[in-house]
Amino acid sequence: MAYASMLYFLTYNMARTDAFQLIGGLVIIACAGIVAAQPAWVALARRIGKKPVYILAAAGYGVAYLGWSMSAGAGTVVAYAFSFVAAIFNSGWTLLGFSMMSDIAGDDQAHAGLYSAAWIAVDKVGFALGGTLLVGLVLSGFGFDAARAVAGQPQTDVALTGVMLAFGVVPALLNVSSALLYWRFGRA
């Protein structure tokens, strides 16, 4: 959801006329955060375990996006910083999610292919529909006007709240909720 709504957030909440250019820099910063953090997540997981590191990373990602969504007026440097921090945590929960999936498949080799197929199917459908569909529902629910957007006109304050929720608050709540559910019910 955060990625699917980022251009909306940059354009409307951060009031950036150069959102398409800004997103390029944010992606480069995020890539740097992801690459830099991977070895640290591996080392930390080896030291204290995959489950607590996954929970830390998922919760950290949610908190980073929540903070970013509440800081729209803070400027470009702050956006770059949030992009970097969010990417570090994104790197951790993504890496650990894939790693734990292979652990589960390795523990039940008779069904490893089924686990892999289910993971790939859900992952692809989630990326294809999940974020964009949820963003569309939130924006529609808060009155975002696509015709006004095409005409270059401003959105209502309620619509801007919807953009902020779609960009940072809902993804943060989903990530923190998943971390809490995994902490409570997930296997180690």
Side-chain angles (χ1 to χ4, degrees), residues 7 27-28 31 39 41 55 64 73 113 120 131 140 158 167:
L7 275 174
V27 169
I28 289 170
C31 289
W41 290 118
I55 292 166
I120 290 169
S140 294
V158 174
F167 173 71

Side-chain angles (χ1 to χ4, degrees), residues 47-150:
R47 185 172 187 85
I48 64 172
K50 291 178 182 179
K51 182 178 179 177
V53 173
Y54 175 88
I55 292 166
L56 168 69
Y61 177 80
V63 169
Y65 265 95
L66 182 62
W68 190 358
S69 72
M70 302 294 175
S71 304
T76 305
V77 173
V78 172
Y80 283 141
F82 273 116
S83 181
F84 186 76
V85 170
I88 288 171
F89 286 110
N90 183 330
S91 170
W93 70 263
T94 304
L95 173 73
L96 273 294
F98 285 126
S99 177
M100 291 184 292
M101 180 61 208
S102 66
D103 292 346
I104 292 167
D107 289 346
D108 186 5
Q109 291 186 2
H111 297 101
L114 177 63
Y115 294 133
S116 296
W119 176 270
I120 290 169
V122 169
D123 185 55
K124 298 307 175 210
V125 170
F127 273 117
L129 298 176
T132 53
L133 179 61
L134 290 174
V135 167
L137 291 172
V138 171
L139 294 182
S140 294
F142 281 82
F144 187 88
D145 189 335
R148 291 178 66 94
V150 170

